[in-house]
Amino acid sequence: MGVAEDALYFAFNPNQLGVLVQWKLRHVPIHKRDETQESITAKICFKFLDQTGRSFSPVVKELHPELLLPVCVFYLILRGLDTIEDDTSIPFTIKEPLLRSFKDYLDQDGWTFTGNRPEERDRALLEQFDNVITEFRKLKPAYQSIIKDVTDRMGNGMADFARKAVLEDVSVSSVEDYDLYCWHVAGIVGEGLTQLFVEAEMGERNLTNHSLYRSMGLLLQKNNIIRDIREDFDNGRRFWPREIWSNHVDKFEDLFEPKYLRNALNCSSEMVLNAMEHVSDTLSYLAGLREQSVFNFCAIPQSMALATLELCFRNPVIFKQNAKITKGDALQLMVESSQDLEGVVKVFCRYVRRIKRKNDPVDPNFLRICIACEEIEKFAETLELKSVELAKKKTIQGKDHQAMSNIGQVIAALAVSSIFVLGTSWLIAQ
């Protein structure tokens, strides 16, 4: 948030000013970025990180130094790829080879792209993409390999769906297609990040469980798709799967007609229900993170995603414009989600309960939504208990270790004293 923007927002929302003060006073970065050690191209990369991922940038810049630049570069590469895929002004005959070959451009010094429409939000990133390539080629070979593999699979996945949209005039048909699309644009990213965490020895091996990192990516992407329905529709894009929306309306366009509002709300609740399938696995993933900056990096976006899902649930606003959580709520979530798993579990349960309260008995999916909410709460409570028990076990182990250490010190002291006494006695006897 800019200073002027902050001042204006909190002037009209003084009740949320306390959250900002709390964040500023209590938040101490775990790791602080050292700009004095950065190259000019690295500084440019962080500038683009600020511009293209404003809510994402702060948590990236607090990552452990080992992961700071690799994750920044990884994000910018995928943002560049996504900027090409998002631009509906680029003809398919040009877009497809760009997407499929994007990984190869990472080996071409000086490569840039100027083919985006002037109003495309992240056009400047691609116009100066040579800076990203320079920093990419400085990364450790293992990191380069991970990033390049994800870029390749993501680009080809996007191209496949772009081709499908041209041939069938619809982006997503079945729920299976929907999951596959979300996997290609977000799930694979979760896989790549997990590989980076493990390679840097900051993540447990069990994080490589496919269902866990898949759910991390799909929950974030499905949240975006639900929230952005109006914007996507205005741009001629449809990501809500036909298999779901056809249960409620005859034509996709009907979702935006006031006379079909109840149908549209029922459809949106089914979309949220679909996204909630990934919540428990997401919590399991977060439970496997041990390095605090990596935990914050993963937990904060997920908490905001769940808060956004709750905001979108049965909310008619999403069919008119994007719905966004307030800045005050975002700050509160950052405070609550940058401590430990227990704090994140409480956040998740709070928003799941709100969804349950908003659930409408006349909704065809009313019962399924109730069951899904209860299952998430039950799983979260079990996970929280395990987390508390683990913390207690570590505390007891620590105390036992200290006690053993103290006993060892006493024994050592007695041994030294004994040796001293025996030595003295021997000298006296001589």
Side-chain angles (χ1 to χ4, degrees), residues 145-157:
S145 178
I146 292 168
I147 293 171
K148 201 170 183 181
D149 174 63
V150 170
T151 303
D152 181 30
R153 289 190 285 151
M154 189 170 172
N156 278 290

Side-chain angles (χ1 to χ4, degrees), residues 39-157:
S39 64
I40 294 175
T41 49
K43 286 184 171 67
I44 292 173
C45 285
F46 283 110
K47 180 194 74 172
F48 278 117
L49 177 67
D50 290 335
Q51 292 175 359
T52 61
R54 294 185 63 186
S55 60
F56 186 64
S57 178
V59 288
V60 172
K61 289 192 287 189
E62 290 185 12
L63 278 171
H64 189 284
E66 175 66 19
L67 287 171
L68 175 61
L69 197 57
V71 171
C72 173
V73 169
F74 189 23
Y75 174 81
L76 293 177
I77 287 171
L78 299 186
R79 173 62 76 174
L81 182 66
D82 191 56
T83 300
I84 291 174
E85 194 265 346
D86 267 347
D87 192 340
T88 54
S89 71
I90 300 176
F92 175 71
T93 53
I94 295 176
K95 179 180 290 188
E96 182 181 26
L98 278 171
L99 294 173
R100 296 196 189 281
S101 303
F102 201 82
K103 72 167 190 315
D104 299 324
Y105 303 137
L106 302 179
D107 294 324
Q108 296 182 23
D109 289 330
W111 184 85
T112 59
F113 179 71
T114 57
N116 286 112
R117 55 189 171 187
E119 63 270 23
E120 192 66 31
R121 184 179 59 183
D122 297 326
R123 173 189 172 100
L125 169 63
L126 286 168
E127 290 177 330
Q128 301 180 50
F129 203 73
D130 52 322
N131 297 289
V132 180
I133 292 173
T134 297
E135 289 304 315
F136 168 77
R137 299 186 69 179
K138 292 179 183 178
L139 300 179
K140 292 179 179 178
Y143 296 162
Q144 288 188 40
S145 178
I146 292 168
I147 293 171
K148 201 170 183 181
D149 174 63
V150 170
T151 303
D152 181 30
R153 289 190 285 151
M154 189 170 172
N156 278 290

Side-chain angles (χ1 to χ4, degrees), residues 146-193:
I146 292 168
I147 293 171
K148 201 170 183 181
D149 174 63
V150 170
T151 303
D152 181 30
R153 289 190 285 151
M154 189 170 172
N156 278 290
M158 287 177 167
D160 289 343
F161 275 92
R163 172 171 287 277
K164 180 180 176 65
V166 170
L167 294 177
E168 301 181 16
D169 193 31
V170 61
S171 295
V172 179
S173 179
S174 66
V175 170
E176 183 180 1
D177 287 341
Y178 178 49
D179 283 355
L180 187 59
Y181 174 78
C182 291
W183 164 253
H184 281 299
V185 299
I188 295 176
V189 180
E191 179 183 0
L193 286 170

